[in-house]
Amino acid sequence: MRITSADVIVTCPGRNYVTLKITTEDGTTGLGDATLNGRELSVASYLRDHVCPLLVGRDSGRINDIWQYLYRGAYWRRGPVTMTAIAAVDCALWDVLGKRVGKPVHQLLGGAARDGVMVYGHASGQSVDDLLDSVGGFLDQGYRAVRVQAAVPGLESTYGLHHPGTGHTYEPADAAVPTDNVWHTPAYLDFAPRMMKAVRERFGYGFHLLHDVHHRLSPLEAAQLGRSLEPYRMFWIEDPTPAEDQEAFRTIRQHTTTPLAVGEVFNTIWDCQYLITERLIDYIRMSVSHSGGITHLRRIFDLADLYGVRTGSHGAGDLSPVSFAAALHLDLTVPNFGIQEYMGHLEPASEVFRTSYTFADGYMHPGDAPGLGVEIDEEAAARYPYEARYLPVNRRLDGSMHDW
Ligand code: EZ4
Ligand code: CO
């Protein structure tokens, strides 16, 4: 079935989302998420100016050929903008295919390998007491896994805290010019084990405990952190060091048994090949929408399976419900699934995106609607035009830039 149009929808219902909509000659439409937080318009342009014109007239069922055509055919390859754009096309084509044959995407991938997808929620607090209330709330809702982040005493701001009044949804991209945060490693290394101790003392060991370091430590600092957290049996620590220095993970691993997760800033199989084949990580966190779509990410997951690395895909609120649905379809099918991040979306995103995924007992399911199971209301999307919004930046006490 030929593609007749490919359109880019940019909208800001609570935060910016870029969505690709592909239409075929029988009127079937498919959606792909093209959101790249803080760089949204670059992907919108890559698609509108360079990809959409090339799609019209192509056979929508030749998903593998279109993937290769866009990847090899650009000559310039890899990188977040390119791979997010290709991912949007890929997911939209899987969505079209599912709708045309009347089956959910997970069935097209060979069917479910599990009944549900274990997700982790995001507890956070301005103090340890506040964090404990938040963790309790997630456990009461049935979550089996919770990520914990709390304000580091002495620092004015800390990564990963929900804003008062937004429930438990965390949204860091909130300013037209990036906000300056201040970072001080000793304060963090002192606080992190005390935070985990408080959580385990209150709630015990009957649920998975996760934490995101967000690329802020050196290898030896990360090793110290991992050791100090060993008594609290973490499910993982995420992004302990900046992800591009892959050898750093060998240093961390030589010193601690705390499991390691990384990958939300990676875009291709080449970015994680070394980490996986050298067994330097336990979980690969790449997302469908920043890593070339379902077609590419399933290859990465297969490589990971050979080396005992499990999946733990990025699922922050800056990936749209379309991306999240695609993640759930893939998660349901892969043998080496580990866990799925689930942050949810700020209102009024539900006015724009109608989803069919469900949550029960700590597990999610993408539903059995044909395709990905997400629809976009374009009239609602038009009510929320693009707004320039950026992630914060991080500076050390002396004013020099640090990783955020
Ligand atoms: O900072 O998605 O694990 N989740 C994260 C996120 C990322 C944002 C960046 O756009 O690290 O909060
Ligand atoms: Co993260």
Side-chain angles (χ1 to χ4, degrees):
M1 194 62 63
R2 302 276 151 200
I3 296 170
T4 49
S5 63
D7 301 292
V8 177
I9 301 157
V10 182
T11 179
C12 188
R15 70 153 3 273
N16 289 311
Y17 295 112
V18 179
T19 307
L20 177 69
K21 184 178 93 172
I22 288 179
T23 308
T24 56
E25 57 195 325
D26 62 352
T28 307
T29 59
L31 300 179
D33 180 22
T35 309
L36 186 62
N37 198 0
R39 297 292 183 270
E40 293 90 355
L41 299 184
S42 59
V43 186
S45 162
Y46 192 109
L47 286 167
R48 274 185 186 134
D49 297 333
H50 305 293
V51 171
C52 293
L54 304 180
L55 293 176
V56 174
R58 275 174 207 286
D59 180 351
S60 65
R62 294 189 63 170
I63 300 175
N64 286 312
D65 181 65
I66 290 177
W67 197 97
Q68 296 290 332
Y69 179 75
L70 294 176
Y71 184 80
R72 293 173 197 268
Y75 184 64
W76 312 108
R77 48 188 77 183
R78 304 173 63 179
V81 176
T82 296
M83 299 312 293
T84 301
I86 294 176
V89 175
D90 185 76
C91 288
L93 293 176
W94 280 102
D95 194 22
V96 164
L97 182 61
K99 286 179 181 167
R100 288 197 43 237
V101 302
K103 293 197 183 304
V105 167
H106 63 83
Q107 278 201 18
L108 306 183
L109 298 172
R114 54 189 52 75
D115 298 330
V117 171
M118 183 172 65
V119 295
Y120 67 92
H122 288 71
S124 68
Q126 299 294 339
S127 64
V128 170
D129 280 346
D130 194 13
L131 170 67
L132 295 177
D133 288 347
S134 176
V135 172
F138 280 97
L139 296 177
D140 287 348
Q141 289 174 63
Y143 280 85
R144 293 158 190 271
V146 184
R147 183 185 99 157
V148 301
Q149 315 284 143
V152 178
L155 296 187
E156 269 177 34
S157 54
T158 302
Y159 162 80
L161 309 188
H162 61 265
H163 298 291
T166 58
H168 291 292
T169 310
Y170 154 67
E171 175 48 72
D174 57 359
V177 173
T179 310
D180 272 3
N181 286 5
V182 178
W183 176 252
H184 189 49
T185 298
Y188 169 75
L189 287 179
D190 176 55
F191 174 66
R194 291 195 277 125
M195 165 170 66
M196 298 311 168
K197 184 167 193 268
V199 172
R200 285 304 196 195
E201 277 180 0
R202 169 75 76 88
F203 297 106
Y205 286 76
F207 66 102
H208 298 301
L209 183 58
L210 299 82
H211 177 64
D212 192 346
V213 187
H214 225 261
H215 326 276
R216 287 159 189 216
L217 299 178
S218 72
L220 281 176
E221 289 163 354
Q224 288 167 21
L225 175 72
R227 274 199 181 175
S228 71
L229 299 184
E230 280 171 19
Y232 313 116
R233 264 182 271 146
M234 305 299 295
F235 186 88
W236 75 35
I237 55 172
E238 172 184 339
D239 293 340
T241 51
E244 57 268 48
D245 178 3
Q246 307 203 354
E247 199 59 40
F249 286 80
R250 194 184 303 281
T251 305
I252 305 170
R253 219 154 181 62
Q254 281 164 349
H255 297 288
T256 181
T257 56
T258 294
L260 305 176
V262 72
E264 67 184 45
V265 298
F266 293 162
N267 315 112
T268 72
I269 199 166
W270 308 103
D271 300 334
C272 57
Q273 176 190 16
Y274 183 79
L275 285 172
I276 289 171
T277 58
E278 292 290 310
R279 300 176 186 263
L280 301 182
I281 55 172
D282 300 281
Y283 296 92
I284 182 70
R285 279 186 43 73
M286 293 163 73
S287 70
V288 165
S289 60
H290 292 159
S291 308
I294 291 168
T295 298
H296 194 59
L297 192 56
R298 71 197 292 217
R299 294 181 68 210
I300 294 169
F301 287 174
D302 278 343
L303 176 71
D305 191 31
L306 287 178
Y307 295 92
V309 175
R310 291 198 284 155
T311 74
S313 284
H314 191 203
D318 53 277
L319 309 175
S320 89
V322 178
S323 173
F324 189 70
L328 291 178
H329 283 281
L330 186 55
D331 291 338
L332 202 62
T333 66
V334 295
N336 53 329
F337 170 75
I339 201 165
Q340 170 67 50
E341 181 177 21
Y342 176 50
M343 193 181 285
H345 298 89
L346 285 171
E347 289 306 321
S350 64
E351 284 177 36
V352 174
F353 298 100
R354 306 269 152 70
T355 59
S356 40
Y357 44 77
T358 52
F359 174 94
D361 277 340
Y363 295 98
M364 293 190 74
H365 193 282
D368 291 315
L372 294 174
V374 181
E375 296 300 328
I376 191 165
D377 179 334
E378 292 184 60
E379 282 178 18
R383 291 200 296 272
Y384 301 100
Y386 169 80
E387 295 174 24
R389 287 194 195 171
Y390 294 98
L391 292 169
V393 296
N394 230 359
R395 292 185 187 276
R396 303 180 196 106
L397 297 184
D398 68 354
S400 56
M401 286 289 290
H402 195 67
D403 297 277
W404 182 76

